[in-house]
Amino acid sequence: MKRTSKPQLEIALLSPQRRSLLALFGALSIISLAGCGYRMRGMVAIPYQVIAITGNPSPPLRADLQRVILTGTDAKVAINPKDADLILEIINDTSGEEILAYNSNGQVSAYRLNIRAGFRAYDTAGGEIVPDSEIYVTRDLDFSVSTVLAVDAQKQQFLGVMRSDLAIQILRRVAASAKAPQAKSF
């Protein structure tokens, strides 16, 4: 008598009609994602070879920007702005939290985390690529008094993901502005 393992037995129990139905639902999901414009994040195409980060970004944001430039583009990060093709100036970088909701006992039950960064980008000739702009990222965080340490760790994790998302959005804005036709003054 031949024994089959449990996962093989469960797969064998799926009828051909059920397998076809599951395949159809999977295909419809993929088609609907493609139809709405969804695409996987890939490399950011920036027409610059060397980028310098200036201004006063917080050390975590500077590290995230450098990581995203090095891993998400074909560009390198310059320490000296004179060696760069593009200067990315971080004008301000703030993060904070606000109370979103209270429970019936009057204790905080949700926070909203936010990070805001003001920036501009220009080339070495002083030509403005991205004028003074601002990107704002928020995330909501549920809070429980009984899990304070876990919520604090989750908060730090959220802030890290938010900074990374902010860095990617800054580079995408630079890439889109670099490809856009520049307005000519007459």
Side-chain angles (χ1 to χ4, degrees):
M1 184 158 120
K2 186 176 178 185
R3 291 187 174 213
T4 59
S5 66
K6 187 172 181 160
Q8 290 175 346
L9 185 60
E10 289 176 359
I11 292 172
L13 293 177
L14 288 176
S15 68
Q17 293 86 8
R18 185 173 278 179
R19 277 190 244 155
S20 298
L21 189 61
L22 287 173
L24 178 66
F25 282 134
L28 286 175
S29 298
I30 291 171
I31 290 170
S32 66
L33 281 176
C36 74
Y38 175 81
R39 68 180 177 95
M40 295 290 286
R41 285 188 178 169
M43 301 262 309
V44 178
I46 294 182
Y48 302 100
Q49 300 300 315
V50 183
I51 300 172
I53 302 168
T54 63
N56 18 323
S58 64
L61 181 60
R62 179 181 293 277
D64 282 334
L65 281 167
Q66 289 174 342
R67 181 186 52 78
V68 168
I69 290 169
L70 294 173
T71 60
T73 69
D74 291 330
K76 294 182 174 81
V77 177
I79 295 178
N80 188 351
K82 293 178 183 176
D83 300 331
D85 299 339
L86 176 79
I87 291 106
L88 177 62
E89 181 181 358
I90 305 300
I91 299 165
N92 60 29
D93 166 26
T94 59
S95 62
E97 63 184 51
E98 58 188 80
I99 296 173
L100 205 56
Y102 293 97
N103 64 15
S104 61
N105 296 331
Q107 298 170 329
V108 175
S109 64
Y111 284 106
R112 173 165 288 151
L113 306 174
N114 52 54
I115 296 178
R116 181 185 307 257
F119 69 98
R120 69 187 195 109
Y122 53 95
D123 58 18
T124 52
E128 194 170 66
I129 306 300
V130 178
D132 286 357
S133 300
E134 188 173 79
I135 294 181
Y136 185 70
V137 179
T138 64
R139 297 287 189 276
D140 294 342
L141 174 67
D142 291 333
F143 179 78
S144 173
V145 178
S146 62
T147 58
V148 173
L149 293 177
V151 170
D152 195 38
Q154 186 180 22
K155 175 182 167 185
Q156 294 307 316
Q157 185 180 19
F158 272 26
L159 288 172
V161 170
M162 290 167 64
R163 271 192 311 273
S164 179
D165 188 35
L166 187 75
I168 291 168
Q169 287 185 39
I170 288 172
L171 283 185
R172 290 194 187 280
R173 177 95 44 102
V174 169
S177 295
K179 292 177 188 173
Q182 302 297 322
K184 294 182 181 179
S185 61
F186 293 100

